[in-house]
Amino acid sequence: MEGDRPSMNRRNFLRALAGGAAAASLPAWALAKATGERPNFVVIFTDDQGYQDLGCFGSPKIKTPNLDRMAAEGMKFTDFYVAASVCSPSRAALLTGCYPSRTGVTRVLFPRDKTGLKTETKTIAEVLKTRGYATACIGKWHLGHKPPHLPTFRGFDSYFGIPYSNDMRPTPLMRNTETVEEPANQATLTQRYTEEAVAFLKANKDKPFFLYLPHTMPHVPLAASERFKGKSAGGLYGDVIEEIDWSAGEILKAIKELGIDSKTLVIYTSDNGPWLSKKAHGGCSLPLRNGKFSTYEGGMRMPCIMRWPGKIPTGTLCSEMALTMDFLPTLAKLAGADLPAGYELNGKDISALMTRPGAKTPHEAFFYYRGTTLEAIRSGKWKAILYAKGSDGQPGRPHELYDLKADISEKTNVAAENADVVKRLAALAAAGVKANGGKFGRGVRKKKTPKKTPQIRKEKR
Ligand code: MG
């Protein structure tokens, strides 16, 4: 328990450590510090991959044998969330453990932007550096592409990748702070990221390390290498995912061959739901509703797998709520690192969920932000979509309420029959806005300004 921390002096600590039973009850941070145990962490983070776009999450056409095996050897999370349904804020939340409204990144960043992740909010890499971790970011950053926002200014020893989305120009490929190719040859990106990742693992096998691998794919424009192009029954999108699956397989193979399997936690998930309007080039979020840009489940509930032999029980399923924001406090705890000082994280330690099937989520509620607007909230099995009053003072639309355990597709609005639940969730949401910023409820009506007809404009000229 984190609360034990200040009261445990060195003598008590060593006494506790001397007895096996007492040591077993030590808080994980203390045990990690005492034993010097610093597990390795690999986070593989894909871009715009849908909830169904893995074999083990039900894809009928895309074959992902490596990730399916990873799930069979580890734990599959069915109720796992990112904190935004678009790229930049989702990444900000993963790396800082805070809702995007607190990180300075609440919308997608573009090449013209000069801003980025607030330097006051610490990243996982910065936290793990305090425990001597080797750190690398390989892939799409998208949290500011100028100093002081690039990865090497934010706790990563090295960076290789494209600094924003692959549909933005001029699409440079960067090594640390230098452009090494422009535009990047996208067809070979997944392969080159994988080679870089395996080289990093080999070079750091004797140190504790944190590898953050945010793939550029399957964000459009899709591109796969010659080896994978035209091979999948799922079309080009399937080719791209199958190449990512190969990549994950290479990483898992390297970890095993280097003899560091039992001290390496590997996590796989995606940054937001599929870009459905891209049709065959977008993914699939079934059985969830909607996709990217949406606060319905398809936008923010992600496929997620975690594997750590000897620590995470094999072939297990977790259907408790867990978040990318939980990574920072969880990895910090496992590494014995102090949390950032001066502010509270929104993420919580989920090591119990990972290691003890049947453990309960530490979250009373999850807030679905779209930009700076809190549009929905989940608590337990209930999810409410919240509507604000109109700017004209008239009531907004009635809230929607879904029972996610009985109705994963958010098809049946049961708000009318559960007014008390709606009231409780709306109160929790209002408190969430107060704590985390932003504004409450979707559908705020703007005052209508009469459209000028072309004829009027002509007269004015
Ligand atoms: Mg994305």
Side-chain angles (χ1 to χ4, degrees):
M1 290 185 331
E2 293 298 326
D4 293 342
R5 194 167 192 163
S7 62
M8 186 173 281
N9 62 31
R10 185 173 164 76
R11 190 193 298 168
N12 288 342
F13 173 75
L14 291 173
R15 193 178 294 151
L17 192 64
S25 65
L26 273 175
W29 66 265
L31 205 54
K33 272 199 170 166
T35 58
E37 195 178 293
R38 290 174 296 172
N40 306 311
F41 305 117
V42 178
V43 175
I44 304 172
F45 199 44
T46 55
D47 195 348
D48 295 8
Q49 182 176 8
Y51 190 73
Q52 199 193 52
D53 295 330
L54 285 174
C56 55
F57 274 79
S59 178
K61 289 185 177 170
I62 303 171
K63 302 268 185 287
T64 54
N66 294 295
L67 289 161
D68 297 351
R69 189 166 58 250
M70 179 178 163
E73 292 171 353
M75 186 177 277
K76 203 172 95 167
F77 287 73
T78 61
D79 292 50
F80 187 85
Y81 292 91
V82 290
S85 61
V86 291
C87 304
S88 300
S90 172
R91 285 147 208 274
L94 180 149
L95 283 176
T96 64
C98 295
Y99 280 104
S101 50
R102 300 174 60 204
T103 67
V105 182
T106 56
R107 62 167 177 82
V108 170
L109 298 178
F110 288 88
R112 64 174 178 271
D113 287 316
K114 293 186 174 58
T115 57
L117 189 63
K118 269 199 322 198
T119 48
E120 295 85 355
T121 44
K122 299 298 168 205
T123 68
I124 297 174
E126 287 166 330
V127 167
L128 294 177
K129 281 313 281 182
T130 65
R131 289 282 285 152
Y133 275 66
T135 55
C137 174
I138 300 169
K140 170 178 157 177
W141 174 243
H142 216 179
L143 289 170
H145 52 282
K146 303 254 187 239
H149 302 299
L150 281 165
T152 48
F153 293 84
R154 299 311 313 265
F156 290 99
D157 299 331
S158 62
Y159 173 55
F160 179 72
I162 63 169
Y164 39 70
S165 290
N166 59 336
D167 59 347
M168 299 173 180
R169 298 292 172 263
T171 334
L173 179 67
M174 300 182 76
R175 185 171 293 284
N176 300 326
T177 56
E178 304 296 322
T179 295
V180 294
E181 186 178 303
E182 188 178 288
N185 176 0
Q186 297 201 27
T188 57
L189 276 183
T190 301
Q191 191 183 319
R192 284 188 283 172
Y193 289 169
T194 308
E195 288 162 5
E196 288 278 329
V198 170
F200 172 81
L201 299 175
K202 285 181 178 167
N204 294 285
K205 67 181 172 58
D206 297 323
K207 301 175 195 158
F209 61 76
F210 170 49
L211 168 61
Y212 174 51
L213 176 54
H215 279 287
T216 294
M217 297 289 148
H219 194 287
V220 292
L222 300 174
S225 68
E226 284 304 318
R227 187 176 156 197
F228 288 90
K229 210 171 165 187
K231 302 286 164 59
S232 172
L236 181 56
Y237 184 88
D239 296 338
V240 166
I241 298 292
E242 291 183 12
E243 186 158 20
I244 289 172
D245 175 73
W246 161 81
S247 170
E250 291 299 296
I251 287 163
L252 291 168
K253 189 168 79 183
I255 289 169
K256 195 164 196 174
E257 285 174 359
L258 292 169
I260 51 175
D261 225 6
S262 64
K263 52 181 176 184
T264 305
L265 165 63
V266 182
I267 301 174
Y268 182 96
T269 192
S270 171
D271 72 333
N272 55 253
W275 201 338
L276 298 175
S277 63
K278 301 295 177 187
K279 305 227 174 348
H281 282 200
C284 176
S285 62
L286 288 174
L288 308 180
R289 180 171 173 177
N290 285 9
K292 183 172 181 171
F293 309 116
S294 173
T295 46
Y296 285 110
E297 294 294 281
M300 296 174 70
R301 196 198 289 206
M302 297 297 117
C304 177
I305 308 166
M306 298 194 196
R307 177 187 182 273
W308 189 2
K311 295 286 196 312
I312 296 179
T314 57
T316 44
L317 189 78
C318 177
S319 54
E320 289 290 308
M321 192 157 64
L323 320 171
T324 48
M325 286 185 290
D326 298 331
F327 292 171
L328 189 150
T330 305
L331 303 196
K333 179 174 178 176
L334 293 168
D338 291 327
L339 293 180
Y343 59 94
E344 288 284 319
L345 300 175
N346 296 111
K348 299 198 185 297
D349 168 29
I350 55 163
S351 53
L353 284 186
M354 291 157 51
T355 54
R356 293 206 309 265
K360 295 294 172 197
T361 181
H363 294 284
E364 184 186 14
F366 170 63
F367 303 107
Y368 303 66
Y369 277 91
R370 182 173 180 179
T372 55
T373 303
L374 178 62
E375 291 196 342
I377 177 173
R378 176 175 178 178
S379 182
K381 67 177 185 175
W382 297 109
K383 176 175 176 184
I385 310 287
L386 309 162
Y387 289 88
K389 276 186 178 177
S391 58
D392 53 3
Q394 296 301 308
R397 282 176 55 183
H399 301 323
E400 296 166 32
L401 184 73
Y402 300 98
D403 174 351
L404 290 178
K405 289 297 175 194
D407 177 23
I408 192 172
S409 307
E410 299 170 281
K411 282 183 177 161
T412 309
N413 179 3
V414 292
E417 306 91 295
N418 297 281
D420 54 332
V421 178
V422 175
K423 199 173 165 188
R424 181 173 72 82
L425 263 60
L428 272 174
V433 164
K434 209 169 175 184
N436 303 311
K439 55 185 186 289
F440 178 93
R442 66 195 288 189
V444 178
R445 292 179 211 144
K446 287 181 182 151
K447 276 186 183 169
K448 281 185 181 169
T449 46
K451 271 190 179 172
K452 292 172 187 168
T453 64
Q455 197 181 358
I456 295 171
R457 279 206 292 270
K458 204 173 176 184
E459 282 166 7
K460 276 200 164 179
R461 267 190 221 131

